[in-house]
Amino acid sequence: MKNLSLLVSFAFISFSIQAQIENVDEKFTLPETVAESSGAIFFNGKLITHNDSGNENRLYEVDTISGAITRTVTITNAENKDWEDIAQDEEYIYIGDFGNNNGNRTDLKIYKIIKSDYLNDTNVTAEVISFSYKDQTDFTSNTNNTPWDAEALISFNENNLVLFSKNWVDNITLAYSIPKAVGDYQITALPNSLNSNGLITGATYNTYTNKLYLVGYSSNLQPFVWVVEGFTDSGFSNLNTQTQLTSLALEQVEGITFVNENRFFITSESFNVSVGGFTLSDTAKLISFSTNDTSLNNNDETLQNKYNVTVYPNPVKHSLNIDTVGFDYIELFGMHSKRLLISQDKQLDMQKYHQGVYLLKIHLDQGQTVFKRLVKI
């Protein structure tokens, strides 16, 4: 987001910190090249981010240990009108060019990039998903006072993305489902909304736990995280928890991504605002936090020991072996619970699958099942 115009105060509202969010840590200042970082995913062992409006049409890989940019990929047929978030599934990366601070854009789109292209070249061509809001009839420019802005995107299931509104008017966040197939769509909000008490600027859907995480900030730049359980194609549930990241004080947080069931990264954007004769500013940062969640593929150790379940090698590059007694069959699932394979073989050829995280469901006799997380390299 550019041209930030917020009333910043020093009287922060006090909220109790939920146990869900722990160990909030400012890891390092982001390189100047990504000072306007606006979205993030974790893929292939790297943080991938991009800048927002008016910047280059590029994705940047950032080493999460050193902070160095290790690789840059250009989307050759794309313009960075206002890139605001990035999402991924097993096969694609999605870049949301839908920032709309003035509420007057008629060219909203999502760029869709094949992961294999991204991995193999530094210049890639994207497919385009175009959309408009079916209920929007007034396109008069109204800077930072519009309900038609959006900065958050997730891959929700096999067929659909979901974007979340950045509602400058009343902070009621709406969710919109958009097909992943290339096309031009008119979208309408899902039935259930969220009173976000601030501006939503980034999202990630943790496939290890099936929880939605939304990041944003209040009118005084106090960052927060919403944890949403039970998000469905009807929108938000009632199981929503907001945690104020009070240890960060002023921070223009913009992107969030999960690494595993208990580790997350947030990116913030540099800012510079004047209030009452004072200038407030800060650099862009990479921030981490942890949770105390349990992965969906957590198993009973007694059951694993009883059947002597072993899966190797893991990480796997070529061939995967399953060694267990009482074996029946296996199912292989991708990142978003898409079943990719069902087989009675104890050896799987993994070469045809993209790099990433997979879930193996091992069916045993007497109806028992054991889950194993796989990393394909």
Side-chain angles (χ1 to χ4, degrees), residues 29-223:
T29 296
L30 288 170
E32 183 63 27
T33 304
V34 289
E36 295 185 17
S37 172
S38 194
I41 58 172
F42 190 78
F43 171 57
N44 199 31
K46 294 289 194 301
L47 180 82
I48 300 175
T49 188
H50 56 79
N51 291 311
D52 62 9
S53 56
N55 283 281
E56 293 185 291
N57 52 334
R58 293 180 173 179
L59 298 178
Y60 301 90
E61 289 188 0
V62 180
D63 187 283
T64 58
I65 304 299
S66 69
I69 294 176
T70 57
R71 187 167 175 260
T72 302
V73 176
T74 301
I75 319 303
T76 56
N77 64 328
E79 176 188 3
N80 189 342
K81 187 77 174 284
D82 195 356
W83 292 9
E84 287 295 354
D85 207 0
I86 184 172
Q88 64 174 321
D89 58 20
E90 290 88 356
E91 298 184 55
Y92 294 95
I93 294 171
Y94 304 88
I95 305 169
D97 188 355
F98 42 55
N100 193 21
N101 289 343
N102 299 326
N104 61 348
R105 284 189 64 179
T106 58
D107 59 350
L108 305 172
K109 58 179 65 72
I110 297 168
Y111 293 108
K112 179 180 178 179
I113 302 155
I114 300 174
K115 278 186 171 179
S116 57
D117 289 351
Y118 175 87
L119 291 170
N120 294 324
D121 204 340
T122 55
N123 293 281
V124 300
T125 301
E127 299 176 284
V128 180
I129 302 167
S130 300
F131 70 94
S132 60
Y133 299 104
K134 186 175 182 179
D135 294 338
Q136 184 178 10
T137 57
D138 184 358
F139 291 85
T140 304
S141 180
N142 199 358
T143 304
N144 294 351
N145 191 33
T146 175
W148 305 112
D149 194 8
E151 294 193 7
L153 180 71
I154 62 168
S155 172
F156 180 58
N157 56 33
E158 182 179 350
N159 298 314
N160 296 288
L161 304 164
V162 176
L163 70 83
F164 301 91
S165 66
K166 182 184 183 182
N167 190 334
W168 294 87
V169 178
D170 59 15
N171 293 165
I172 301 298
T173 299
L174 301 178
Y176 295 84
S177 180
I178 302 177
K180 291 180 177 180
V182 171
D184 191 352
Y185 304 96
Q186 285 191 320
I187 62 174
T188 56
L190 300 178
N192 300 326
S193 61
L194 174 71
N195 186 356
S196 56
N197 298 312
L199 300 173
I200 297 299
T201 56
T204 190
Y205 186 74
N206 193 324
T207 54
Y208 293 105
T209 62
N210 285 352
K211 291 184 180 180
L212 168 67
Y213 286 75
L214 300 171
V215 69
Y217 50 82
S218 62
S219 60
N220 55 20
L221 281 182
Q222 174 62 61

Side-chain angles (χ1 to χ4, degrees), residues 17 21-30 47 64-65 223 225 243-249 251 253 255-257 262-268 282-291:
I17 299 298
I21 306 294
E22 304 171 331
N23 305 316
V24 180
D25 179 45
E26 295 183 5
K27 290 180 64 65
F28 50 72
T29 296
L30 288 170
L47 180 82
T64 58
I65 304 299
V225 176
T243 298
Q244 302 286 322
L245 304 180
T246 52
S247 63
L248 299 179
E251 203 71 63
V253 293
I256 182 171
T257 183
N262 280 311
R263 185 161 174 78
F264 295 78
F265 289 128
I266 293 173
T267 63
S268 70
D282 205 351
T283 57
K285 301 182 186 70
L286 181 68
I287 299 158
S288 66
F289 71 84
S290 60
T291 66

Side-chain angles (χ1 to χ4, degrees), residues 301-312:
E301 290 187 9
T302 301
L303 184 63
Q304 293 194 63
N305 293 335
K306 174 182 176 181
Y307 287 91
N308 298 318
V309 180
T310 306
V311 174
Y312 63 95

